[in-house]
Amino acid sequence: MRDKLEQIKRKAMEAMDSLNNLDQLEEFRVKTLGKKGELTLVLREMGKLPPEERPVIGQLANEIRSYLENELSKKTAELKNAALEKRLAEEAIDVTVPGKVPALGKLHPVTKVLNELKDIFLGMGFDVAEGPEVEWDSYNFEALNIPKNHPARDVQDTFYINENILLRTHTSPVQIRTMLKKKPPIKVICPGRVYRSDAIDATHSPIFHQIEGLVVDKNITMGDLKGVLDVFAKQVFGPETKTKFRPHHFPFTEPSAEVDVTCAICHGSGCRVCSYTGWIEILGAGMVHPKVLAYCGIDPQEYSGFAFGMGLDRITNLKYGIDDIRLLFENDIRFLKQF
Ligand code: DAH
């Protein structure tokens, strides 16, 4: 029996050395010291021993048990510690490593210029009005004094949804919507997307953007129009900028003008951008036609107004020196990144 006990101890010591995780240790404990463990089984047989040997063997067995228990708990502590050290090492965070910089998006150049233009007009007391891109034929044309046989109505230019509904070809119908809803004084700009079935090239896109302006009140004159557009041009293109009004024709204004600004690139001396004229056309404008006011229930005897409309994409291109309108719609990230 004594030999058996010594053997259990020796085997246990050997086995313990090769244990290297907590599961194995637990398995070992059950196998050796558990209820059905080797040591326990040996002790069960103590009854068969002669009485005088029992205390000696009993004491030896207890010594072995407490020795093994002690070793086991030392080993357990060691392994637990090693596991903790390992985890701490693995989970250590180097707080000095530089963070990952998130890729930031940017505003589209057209949006940037739109924001800038809005600021300029808000600074002059304008509100922003918007209208739908899918529009009534009557607001897009009829109300703006564009009769049925006008060339602007040509199916070549207009995307029709049906006989009465189309994709607006300009932002001018927002003038109509504004005047139908609200009585003077009116002072709004109407930015938005417009559509024309033009062939695509460097200066034409079937989708583009306009900003409409409308001021209606008592005693509004062409002088007010010139003043507003002059301030606007100087703020967008620089304080040296001059404006020039050339007589023109629009069905919805009378009189009408096209407005040029001195070329921001050559300041008037002539360059490729201004086709060596020193001037660049930027918008159409005029005094709101009495028929347009009357259509909206505003008495042309009492009120007058001016209106203007400009291409936002064109102004964007002029400001940034972009020579092809298609770049604004292709969404090539290499292009957009530059703004
Ligand atoms: N709607 C015109 C166009 O798309 C631009 C325009 C010209 C608007 C004169 C106006 C204006 O309000 O008075 O070509």
Side-chain angles (χ1 to χ4, degrees):
M1 193 131 211
R2 181 183 290 271
D3 290 349
K4 231 178 183 174
L5 284 171
E6 292 292 351
Q7 201 191 336
I8 287 175
K9 183 180 172 189
R10 215 174 328 109
K11 252 178 59 194
M13 292 305 297
E14 271 169 32
M16 203 146 27
D17 275 347
S18 64
L19 301 179
N20 47 27
N21 70 48
L22 292 169
D23 287 342
Q24 287 176 357
L25 222 56
E26 175 61 10
E27 203 179 296
F28 171 82
R29 190 189 64 76
V30 173
K31 200 172 134 233
T32 318
L33 304 171
K35 270 190 205 144
K36 291 178 185 161
E38 288 169 31
L39 195 61
T40 319
L41 291 181
V42 172
L43 289 174
R44 285 229 186 107
E45 282 169 24
M46 288 250 291
K48 294 178 191 161
L49 290 175
E52 65 279 10
E53 278 185 35
R54 282 182 205 164
V56 187
I57 295 296
Q59 198 190 349
L60 178 63
N62 278 334
E63 271 169 27
I64 291 177
R65 168 180 284 277
S66 61
Y67 177 78
L68 287 180
E69 273 172 358
N70 200 22
E71 288 299 301
L72 211 56
S73 73
K74 268 204 281 183
K75 186 92 187 185
T76 305
E78 243 169 60
L79 285 179
K80 275 191 176 159
N81 209 25
L84 180 65
E85 290 292 332
K86 184 162 169 258
R87 225 183 102 192
L88 285 176
E90 277 171 6
E91 292 179 4
I93 293 171
D94 182 353
V95 292
T96 66
V97 172
K100 281 188 193 141
V101 182
L104 276 188
K106 291 191 174 186
L107 291 180
H108 192 281
V110 170
T111 308
K112 284 182 115 162
V113 173
L114 173 59
N115 288 345
E116 196 180 315
L117 301 196
K118 273 186 189 166
D119 274 353
I120 293 172
F121 283 110
L122 292 184
M124 289 193 270
F126 284 74
D127 287 328
V128 175
E130 283 181 354
E133 291 172 25
V134 178
E135 184 56 282
W136 297 111
D137 175 285
S138 56
Y139 288 178
N140 193 82
F141 292 131
E142 205 76 31
L144 288 160
N145 195 28
I146 304 174
K148 284 269 188 261
N149 55 359
H150 194 279
R153 281 175 156 259
D154 199 318
V155 279
Q156 292 273 321
D157 296 326
T158 307
F159 290 112
Y160 277 93
I161 306 273
N162 64 32
E163 211 186 315
N164 301 317
I165 298 173
L166 43 73
L167 295 181
R168 66 180 178 191
T169 57
H170 51 180
T171 43
S172 301
V174 189
Q175 286 188 28
I176 303 302
R177 289 177 172 273
T178 304
M179 287 190 282
L180 285 173
K181 257 199 314 238
K182 191 177 177 294
K183 295 307 140 200
I186 292 171
K187 204 172 176 188
V188 290
I189 54 162
C190 322
R193 191 169 278 176
V194 302
Y195 302 82
R196 284 184 204 175
S197 73
D198 280 330
I200 301 172
D201 63 27
T203 54
H204 294 87
S205 161
I207 303 174
F208 57 105
H209 302 87
Q210 288 188 334
I211 296 189
E212 193 80 11
L214 174 70
V215 173
V216 184
D217 203 349
K218 287 181 175 149
N219 305 317
I220 296 294
T221 69
M222 198 97 177
D224 298 313
L225 171 62
K226 290 191 81 167
V228 164
L229 292 180
D230 202 55
V231 168
F232 162 75
K234 285 184 163 58
Q235 293 208 31
V236 179
F237 297 108
E240 309 297 307
T241 310
K242 291 195 190 78
T243 51
K244 179 167 82 176
F245 279 55
R246 279 183 290 103
H248 199 73
H249 171 263
F250 296 106
F252 33 88
T253 44
E254 180 58 36
S256 305
E258 272 191 336
V259 179
D260 299 346
V261 293
T262 42
C263 177
I265 311 289
C266 65
H267 304 287
S269 62
C271 69
R272 202 176 56 85
V273 174
C274 59
S275 308
Y276 303 94
T277 62
W279 293 93
I280 291 175
E281 185 240 310
I282 58 158
L283 54 83
M287 300 306 292
V288 180
H289 199 291
K291 277 189 177 172
V292 174
L293 292 174
Y295 181 99
C296 300
I298 293 173
D299 183 358
Q301 300 299 327
E302 195 181 350
Y303 293 101
S304 57
F306 66 75
F308 55 88
M310 66 184 97
L312 181 55
D313 314 279
R314 184 164 156 71
I315 294 189
T316 304
N317 285 357
L318 285 173
K319 268 191 78 89
Y320 288 117
I322 300 165
D323 59 6
D324 192 325
I325 193 173
R326 288 170 288 198
L327 289 165
L328 298 178
F329 298 97
E330 282 166 354
N331 279 335
D332 185 331
I333 200 87
R334 293 165 301 181
F335 169 75
L336 295 176
K337 261 186 179 165
Q338 299 173 47
F339 301 92

